[in-house]
Amino acid sequence: MSRYNAREVEAKWQSTWQNRNTFETKTDTSKPKYYVLEMFPYPSGNIHIGHVRNYTMGDVVARFKRARGFNVLHPMGWDAFGLPAENAARDKKVHPAEWTYANIANMRKELKSMGLSLDWSKELATCHPGYYGKQQKLFLDFLDKGLVYRKESWVNWDPVDMTVLANEQVIDGKGWRSGALVEKRKLNQWMFRISDYSEELLEGLQTLDRWPERVRLMQENWIGKSSGARVNFKISDRSDHLEIYTTRPDTLYGASFMAVAADHPLTQELAKSNTAIADFVAECHRMGTSEEAIEKAEKKGVDTGLFADHPFIEGKKLPIYVANFVLMEYGTGAIFGCPGHDQRDFDFATKYKLEISRVVAGPGGEEGPLETEPYIGPGKIINSDFLNDLEVEEAKKAAISKLEELGLGSETINYRLRDWGLSRQRYWGCPIPVVHCDKCGTVPEKAENLPIELPEDVTFDKPGNPLDHHPTWKQTKCPSCGADAVRETDTMDTFVDSSWYFARFCSPRADEAVSREDVDYWLPVDQYIGGIEHAILHLLYSRFFSRAMKVTGAVDFEEPFAGLFTQGMVTHETYKSQSGEWLFPQDVITNDAGEPVHIETGEKVIIGGVEKMSKSKKNVVDPAEIIDKFGADAARWFVLSDSPPDRDMEWTDAGATGAWRFKQRLYKFIHENLENAADLNADEPTEFSGEALALRRETHKTLASVTDSIEKLHFNTAIARIYEFMKTLSEFRSTGEDGAWALREAMEVMVSIVGPMMPHLAEELWELLGHTEILADSPWPTVIDELTVDDTVTIAVQVKGKLRGTIEVPKDEDKAKVEAMALAEENVKRFIGDATIRKVIVVPNRIVNIVI
RNA sequence: GCCCCUGUGGCGGAAUUGGUAGACGCGACAGAUUCAAAAUCUGUUGUCCUUAGGGCGUGCCUGUUCGAGUCAGGCCAGGGGCACCA
């Protein structure tokens, strides 16, 4: 027998699937659909092992559902806009488009070598005008419905690169690449009204019962709903009011000061004539936005000299401060300070020697002054006039009613979620299709002028936005009046691209952004698979987009992803040389003494922790090399085995070798034992005896269990059951017609259930078994339920809760008989001795517990 | 600080959801085959006691129960999310 040659066999089946267009899918309302989607990759140049894990999982689901009779959509595309292409352009003098398309070509080739059941006819790239032009149409539709607006807002501005930075690109208050001190600047930014959908996005989470609980929780926290009150404090000796937001109206009697944000209109008004305030505002703007900077920043403020009138206490005046810990973006940008019952207010009051009074009694009824720390917990209200003796929650309600009565405030729901700023001062992104006209203002581009394509002749040697530098691109005519006008040079955040690609996949070449007929059939995505790192932004933005597209009539659903699965990372041991340099795993070998040494120098290697694969630590393995060495099937098998899919898995060579061994073993087994099996389509014998029947039982039990495991995405347990079944098969010895038939049945089931995970090997064996139809087009085998239940069961017998023996009894045996058999068991008798039996618990088919 | 998740052999992990803890894989050990090795195959492998057999054992402590890895309460450790959010 020839050894299994993965390289040849895998190439053979990949071209068979391709030539037969096996995985091309059409909308067909007569069939049940199933949409499997893995998060599409950024075309960085090569696939990494995390992609292998992600796409293998999706592929198992896709192939499995296909075999189960579903019309499966399983597409692939490229999240192709983004900064790395511009960096490559600057550093390597290669155009972003050229760089990106070359990367796509290479990654496509690598993905194809994995044998994924993808419909490549639906491939799309977000950097292609055929995609981003439709995105511009969506943008115009959103604009028309008021879902997008332009607003001056504060951004992180890198003065060296002359660009806006996202929060995560600001490290310790400095630009991640330039290292320049980041400034807060006010810029005109395009914004999506996602915050209008806060409540809907929050409520929608309730319906997502096939999402991981923790992702829903993260989104819930991110949306950050809180309920409280808006209260108007009259500014003393002025006619206007200061509106604040609070979740603790019950502590109003503990108020000792007011604080407003540096960007609050009141502050800005005062800063014009008060240099102390103006200086402080400038200082706040310089303050870094990193977590660390915020953590360390002291609570500071400046007294404005103004006072506010307390809403409940006649004549009580509260000093108004500008404070660095009050954020303009949250609530109303102003607060009242209650130092007794809020940590920040306490810190602030301590620094500026403001009154700290207690209005909530402590858990033990303490009513004394708060000297070292505020009290945040529940309790009875004190020192608060009409609120006295109420519990915190009751007092909140009472305070709000009183405020409403006085016309000074009302109950309010507040959300942490802010609008999504989508403007980026970058070249390699989707141009925002609007025009700025001196006469008409900001005018949307005409739909027939779309796509507004990116110019090709751009330079990246100057800081700032290359689109803005382009000599002619932005010069245009106003779509409204026809006068000379300027194009918007901002491009869209790349999160926009990934917020609707799942819908475009249904009909990637349609004239409309999405074709209703197709999305109505395919969407929502039945199973979405990707990394937990997208738990908030990408998934929340996509959920918003679905709602927005529903408003424009493009789709008719709210939730884009009915099922979500977040897979774990792939980790690897780390290695360092004696001099402390990181080493690649392939440069580390084991010497004769069993020690890890460097392959070239022979120097002993220091083994470090198991960590997420990263280029900087060099603990990476290259999927292309793995596939070349072990074959795609073995790589797929290994990433699915051992670890539960939602947890991190460690890549080890031993594990990959193990997968390879199983592949060889199965191949060899079918080859060597096929002659003992019945012919394809041989008549089923009327009776099955001992061995043959036992094998059939195992076959159907395995089939049922593996089917269930795949359905639940528990690939590791499915594989464990297949290993057990392999063992059963190798031990099977039987002659006779029934044995031969049972063996064929077992082999067919084995090949079928291995199919979604090792598709090439399975096709090869399927063909060997004599089938003329390929496995990918063959149905999943059917479980015969009668064969999955045994006639007898092994029951554990406990004495006083400790296992003392087991008995074999017929299934569903009469309780009294089971009890008698249990009591007759030798070891059980020994443990009962002459003690009195107080009670016997019999759980049918499970356990007997004898209490003495 | 707030919220959440996870702790099971040397390792990755199973456990029908309260019913025989450690399936399956890796590693290790022993044996078969081989001139030898690789590959392959067969066994053993939680721990302690000398075996039949038994004691102990799912991070720690308490509890509920005939029975707890699983439920409850309190700790400890590791990981993740959010964070001057009023």
Side-chain angles (χ1 to χ4, degrees):
Chain A
M1 186 198 80
S2 64
R3 218 168 149 84
Y4 180 74
N5 184 332
R7 214 170 300 181
E8 274 173 31
V9 173
E10 291 183 355
K12 167 181 157 191
W13 290 106
Q14 281 163 22
S15 60
T16 303
W17 297 323
Q18 183 165 339
N19 296 339
R20 296 174 55 132
N21 299 327
T22 303
F23 303 116
E24 276 190 27
T25 319
K26 280 200 194 82
T27 296
D28 179 355
T29 47
S30 70
K31 280 203 252 172
K33 66 94 184 180
Y34 200 90
Y35 187 175
V36 189
L37 184 66
E38 300 99 53
M39 291 181 182
F40 68 163
Y42 178 79
S44 57
N46 298 94
I47 62 168
H48 55 74
I49 208 80
H51 291 131
V52 174
R53 196 175 186 209
N54 190 183
Y55 300 140
T56 300
M57 287 178 192
D59 199 48
V60 172
V61 175
R63 286 178 181 270
F64 173 72
K65 290 289 176 183
R66 234 180 100 76
R68 302 280 279 172
F70 288 91
N71 189 23
V72 171
L73 176 60
H74 187 212
M76 181 56 69
W78 312 96
D79 189 11
F81 272 139
L83 204 50
E86 280 186 63
N87 293 341
R90 191 195 57 226
D91 300 339
K92 296 177 191 157
K93 308 282 174 227
V94 48
H95 193 275
E98 195 186 318
W99 184 83
T100 303
Y101 284 111
N103 286 347
I104 287 175
N106 187 58
M107 285 176 75
R108 184 193 299 117
K109 192 187 81 201
E110 291 183 341
L111 285 183
K112 284 193 172 177
S113 75
M114 281 178 64
L116 302 168
S117 64
L118 292 166
D119 180 355
W120 284 104
S121 75
K122 295 197 165 56
E123 181 182 1
L124 59 79
T126 58
C127 66
H128 193 280
Y131 183 84
Y132 72 72
K134 308 302 172 192
Q135 184 164 307
Q136 291 169 337
K137 180 63 174 41
L138 287 181
F139 180 92
L140 294 180
D141 292 345
F142 285 10
L143 194 62
D144 187 47
K145 296 284 180 190
L147 292 157
V148 202
Y149 64 102
R150 195 152 179 260
K151 168 188 138 175
E152 275 224 306
S153 68
W154 291 97
V155 295
N156 302 309
W157 179 259
D158 183 322
V160 171
D161 280 355
M162 302 212 319
T163 185
V164 166
L165 298 178
N167 281 331
E168 56 274 15
Q169 292 167 347
V170 181
I171 299 153
D172 291 336
K174 294 179 182 128
W176 68 285
R177 201 177 57 218
S178 69
L181 215 53
V182 169
E183 297 167 9
K184 291 207 168 177
R185 272 209 193 180
K186 231 174 184 180
L187 274 189
N188 269 312
Q189 293 278 293
W190 286 97
M191 314 284 285
F192 283 123
R193 286 195 198 279
I194 188 170
S195 67
D196 281 6
Y197 291 81
S198 300
E199 187 62 37
E200 282 189 46
L201 289 167
L202 184 66
E203 275 173 11
L205 291 173
Q206 305 290 325
T207 67
L208 299 174
D209 55 340
R210 289 202 299 120
W211 276 41
E213 181 59 30
R214 67 171 173 152
V215 174
R216 285 187 289 172
L217 246 152
M218 281 160 74
Q219 295 217 349
E220 194 180 315
N221 291 338
W222 187 263
I223 294 167
K225 182 177 183 174
S226 75
S227 68
R230 280 182 182 236
V231 187
N232 279 306
F233 283 69
K234 186 176 173 301
I235 302 176
S236 313
D237 309 319
R238 282 173 53 143
S239 58
D240 54 341
H241 284 77
L242 181 61
E243 188 183 39
I244 62 102
Y245 172 74
T246 181
T247 56
R248 295 295 303 270
D250 54 306
T251 63
L252 266 166
Y253 279 92
S256 63
F257 67 96
M258 311 292 294
V260 295
D263 302 326
H264 194 277
L266 180 66
T267 312
Q268 298 189 324
E269 177 204 317
L270 297 170
K272 285 179 194 150
S273 54
N274 182 331
T275 51
I277 293 176
D279 289 349
F280 183 73
V281 169
E283 190 189 325
C284 288
H285 287 169
R286 275 197 309 274
M287 192 174 84
T289 48
S290 73
E291 279 181 28
E292 207 185 344
I294 289 164
E295 192 94 34
K296 285 181 186 156
E298 199 186 349
K299 294 185 180 34
K300 282 204 229 167
V302 234
D303 193 343
T304 61
L306 292 176
F307 289 87
D309 296 342
H310 195 285
F312 296 153
I313 308 169
E314 186 72 34
K316 175 146 183 159
K317 296 201 181 298
L318 304 166
I320 302 177
Y321 283 79
V322 179
N324 64 353
F325 65 91
V326 181
L327 306 175
M328 192 58 221
E329 302 86 19
Y330 186 79
T332 61
I335 61 160
F336 79 84
C338 176
H341 306 282
D342 182 280
Q343 186 67 51
R344 290 152 311 181
D345 297 350
F346 185 89
D347 296 346
F348 191 79
T350 308
K351 183 172 168 70
Y352 293 101
K353 309 229 171 345
L354 298 164
E355 187 190 349
I356 300 173
S357 50
R358 174 165 214 147
V359 290
V360 183
E366 299 90 339
E367 299 193 357
L370 294 147
E371 272 149 10
T372 54
E373 54 177 17
Y375 174 65
I376 317 290
K380 267 203 167 43
I381 304 293
I382 54 170
N383 303 325
S384 297
D385 189 26
F386 72 96
L387 297 175
N388 283 343
D389 294 330
L390 295 175
E391 289 293 324
V392 165
E393 290 308 314
E394 302 164 345
K396 284 181 182 174
K397 291 190 190 108
I400 291 171
S401 330
K402 181 82 171 188
L403 288 166
E404 282 171 349
E405 201 182 302
L406 296 170
L408 290 174
S410 58
E411 186 171 9
T412 317
I413 304 292
N414 202 44
Y415 300 90
R416 207 186 71 99
L417 183 66
R418 291 170 209 164
D419 277 340
W420 168 17
L422 65 121
S423 296
R424 297 290 181 272
Q425 291 68 40
R426 299 260 145 80
Y427 167 73
W428 198 232
C430 172
I432 295 175
V434 296
V435 171
H436 301 288
C437 168
D438 283 343
K439 225 171 79 197
C440 311
T442 302
V443 186
E445 190 47 271
K446 287 180 187 161
E448 62 262 34
N449 291 343
L450 300 184
I452 304 303
E453 292 196 39
L454 288 166
E456 281 179 26
D457 51 331
V458 281
T459 53
F460 297 91
D461 41 16
K462 275 191 284 188
N465 183 353
L467 275 185
D468 203 32
H469 298 152
H470 193 276
T472 55
W473 184 79
K474 65 182 173 186
Q475 313 301 336
T476 186
K477 302 287 179 202
C478 172
S480 172
C481 70
D484 284 345
V486 205
R487 277 194 193 294
E488 171 68 64
T489 57
D490 283 354
T491 51
M492 296 186 204
D493 179 5
T494 55
F495 273 114
V496 179
D497 311 339
S498 53
S499 292
W500 69 287
Y501 77 108
F502 50 87
R504 183 70 183 164
F505 266 141
C506 300
S507 36
R509 318 284 174 250
D511 290 337
E512 294 297 312
V514 295
S515 131
R516 265 305 284 273
E517 188 199 343
D518 295 317
V519 294
D520 283 351
Y521 174 66
W522 288 113
L523 286 166
V525 174
D526 296 279
Q527 186 63 63
Y528 196 33
I529 306 177
I532 186 76
E533 66 273 20
H534 293 112
I536 298 173
L537 296 183
H538 162 60
L539 291 168
L540 194 64
Y541 291 157
S542 300
R543 296 181 59 222
F544 162 69
F545 247 69
S546 297
R547 286 167 173 79
M549 286 165 77
K550 191 178 177 185
V551 169
T552 66
V555 303
D556 189 30
F557 58 88
E558 284 88 27
E559 293 297 343
F561 313 118
L564 172 70
F565 187 84
T566 52
Q567 99 270 12
M569 296 180 305
V570 182
T571 63
H572 198 285
E573 232 173 17
T574 50
Y575 308 101
K576 269 186 181 178
S577 69
Q578 294 296 327
S579 55
E581 286 157 356
W582 297 107
L583 300 172
F584 285 111
Q586 71 257 31
D587 294 338
V588 178
I589 54 162
T590 307
N591 68 9
D592 298 338
E595 296 162 334
V597 294
H598 191 270
I599 193 165
E600 279 162 21
T601 62
E603 185 194 50
K604 259 188 88 172
V605 163
I606 302 160
I607 296 184
V610 174
E611 294 182 54
K612 178 185 180 175
M613 285 194 188
S614 76
K615 280 180 185 156
S616 62
K617 288 179 181 158
K618 296 196 176 173
N619 60 336
V620 289
V621 291
D622 177 9
E625 281 174 32
I626 297 294
I627 289 172
D628 189 55
K629 190 170 162 196
F630 298 101
D633 283 333
R636 293 168 58 116
W637 186 260
F638 175 50
V639 295
L640 295 170
S641 61
D642 289 359
S643 298
D646 53 345
R647 277 206 227 165
D648 291 352
M649 72 158 294
E650 187 189 349
W651 181 277
T652 60
D653 253 23
T657 311
W660 186 86
R661 264 206 298 261
F662 176 74
K663 184 171 73 170
Q664 295 294 340
R665 197 175 161 200
L666 176 58
Y667 179 77
K668 206 172 128 195
F669 177 82
I670 305 269
H671 251 270
E672 290 176 353
N673 293 279
L674 188 57
E675 56 182 27
N676 302 325
D679 289 341
L680 182 69
N681 301 327
D683 288 337
E684 180 176 343
T686 44
E687 245 175 83
F688 290 90
S689 62
E691 285 288 299
L693 184 62
L695 179 62
R696 293 203 71 199
R697 287 191 187 287
E698 276 312 306
T699 300
H700 286 274
K701 278 191 211 169
T702 301
L703 175 59
S705 163
V706 169
T707 306
D708 185 55
S709 289
I710 296 180
E711 201 80 64
K712 292 178 180 155
L713 310 181
H714 293 172
F715 309 117
N716 57 324
T717 54
I719 284 179
R721 288 310 310 259
I722 291 173
Y723 275 124
E724 281 181 276
F725 189 44
M726 185 71 238
K727 212 169 149 187
T728 307
L729 271 179
S730 0
E731 282 162 4
F732 179 69
R733 299 281 175 275
S734 168
T735 48
E737 225 178 293
D738 60 342
W741 200 90
L743 180 60
R744 164 157 288 271
E745 180 185 44
M747 285 177 167
E748 302 228 333
V749 166
M750 176 59 114
V751 171
S752 295
I753 60 180
V754 160
M757 304 179 216
M758 299 208 280
H760 312 88
L761 172 70
E763 287 286 9
E764 186 71 9
L765 293 174
W766 193 247
E767 187 181 57
L768 185 70
L769 286 169
H771 291 277
T772 47
E773 185 58 278
I774 63 171
L775 181 62
D777 282 330
S778 306
W780 195 252
T782 308
V783 179
I784 299 173
D785 290 328
E786 305 91 88
L787 289 172
T788 62
V789 282
D790 289 316
D791 319 325
T792 64
V793 286
T794 310
I795 285 184
V797 184
Q798 297 179 333
V799 179
K800 271 172 56 181
K802 283 192 194 288
L803 181 73
R804 297 304 178 191
T806 56
I807 51 172
E808 193 79 11
V809 299
K811 192 175 167 17
D812 300 323
E813 178 67 289
D814 185 69
K815 271 195 183 190
K817 282 188 188 158
V818 173
E819 183 175 329
M821 284 172 80
L823 290 168
E825 211 273 344
E826 280 309 315
N827 203 41
V828 171
K829 277 205 293 204
R830 199 162 72 82
F831 273 88
I832 295 170
D834 19 308
T836 320
I837 296 169
R838 298 216 320 247
K839 200 170 167 188
V840 179
I841 290 135
V842 182
V843 182
N845 302 325
R846 286 275 158 83
I847 204 163
V848 178
N849 192 6
I850 299 156
V851 189
I852 53 171

